[in-house]
Amino acid sequence: MDPIPKPFSFQVEAAEGWMMLGDPQSAAEELARLPAEYQDHPNTLAVKWSLHALLEQWEEAWQISRKLCDALPHCAGIWVCHAESTRKHKGIQEALNVLSGVAGKFPRDASVSYQLACLCTLTGHIEEARYYLKKAFVNGDAKKMRLTALRDPDLQPLWERADSYPLLALKDEETE
């Protein structure tokens, strides 16, 4: 897909800036001023998704994430966003179904594996959760991901199991 031409691409960037400044209303106004032909461009949709997620408007975020998945089916991050929207709008099991259905397309993507670990933990599939978390550590920044995992409330049932300690424990070289 062709990029959004200037000056319209600046409007999308401005909307992102407004969100970073904590002004979602101005971000929404900036996006609303875009011409109709750029409203469904993936760059615009990504910012709209972020805006609706920030505002916890999960039905709208879910609808936008579906459009993004259609437009960019080979982008792992889009599927993670769609799973998050699905989780908030339709429930954890539905989100697990969505992400499990595309996990084979992204075997080396740490964010997909990490999100699957969270969803598996929340649905009580502890062995699968361990598998995906280990896969996330292998394919991503293991130190950073372990630190994130230790603070992630979605993974709390995993932390509470003594047999998960070796998986979550930081290695000596990761603590330096």
Side-chain angles (χ1 to χ4, degrees):
M1 177 165 279
D2 292 333
I4 298 174
K6 296 173 183 155
F8 306 115
S9 62
F10 294 142
Q11 286 178 260
V12 175
E13 292 171 14
E16 289 178 296
W18 285 119
M19 285 192 298
M20 285 189 273
L21 291 170
D23 189 349
Q25 179 63 39
S26 293
E29 291 168 4
E30 199 71 55
L31 292 170
R33 285 194 293 271
L34 274 174
E37 64 262 34
Y38 304 119
Q39 289 293 329
D40 284 337
H41 189 282
N43 293 356
T44 305
L45 290 173
V47 175
K48 286 181 179 181
W49 182 87
S50 295
L51 175 63
H52 289 290
L54 176 70
L55 296 172
E56 297 185 5
Q57 296 170 337
W58 294 111
E59 182 176 357
E60 293 86 350
W62 179 78
Q63 290 171 355
I64 291 165
S65 69
R66 288 186 58 192
K67 288 181 184 181
L68 279 165
C69 288
D70 290 342
L72 302 169
H74 300 296
C75 180
I78 297 300
W79 286 100
V80 171
C81 291
H82 184 51
E84 181 64 16
S85 301
T86 302
R87 174 183 171 179
K88 300 291 186 169
H89 179 57
K90 296 189 170 248
I92 295 167
Q93 185 61 54
E94 192 70 27
L96 179 58
N97 295 344
V98 164
L99 209 50
S100 294
V102 297
K105 290 181 175 182
F106 311 105
R108 298 196 195 301
D109 189 279
S111 64
V112 170
S113 296
Y114 185 88
Q115 189 65 26
L116 280 166
C118 291
L119 294 168
C120 286
T121 300
L122 292 169
T123 55
H125 299 101
I126 300 301
E127 290 307 312
E128 287 178 68
R130 268 190 233 165
Y131 166 79
Y132 284 117
L133 193 57
K134 185 175 182 180
K135 192 172 177 181
F137 294 163
V138 167
N139 291 316
D141 180 336
K143 178 182 179 182
K144 183 177 178 182
M145 294 195 103
R146 276 191 178 88
L147 290 171
T148 299
L150 288 167
R151 290 194 279 302
D152 193 329
D154 289 349
L155 295 172
Q156 187 169 356
L158 195 61
W159 313 330
E160 293 171 349
R161 295 180 56 119
D163 55 351
S164 294
Y165 178 76
L167 177 64
L168 293 172
L170 292 174
K171 310 290 187 255
D172 287 338
E173 65 273 9
E174 294 175 342
T175 59
E176 296 173 355

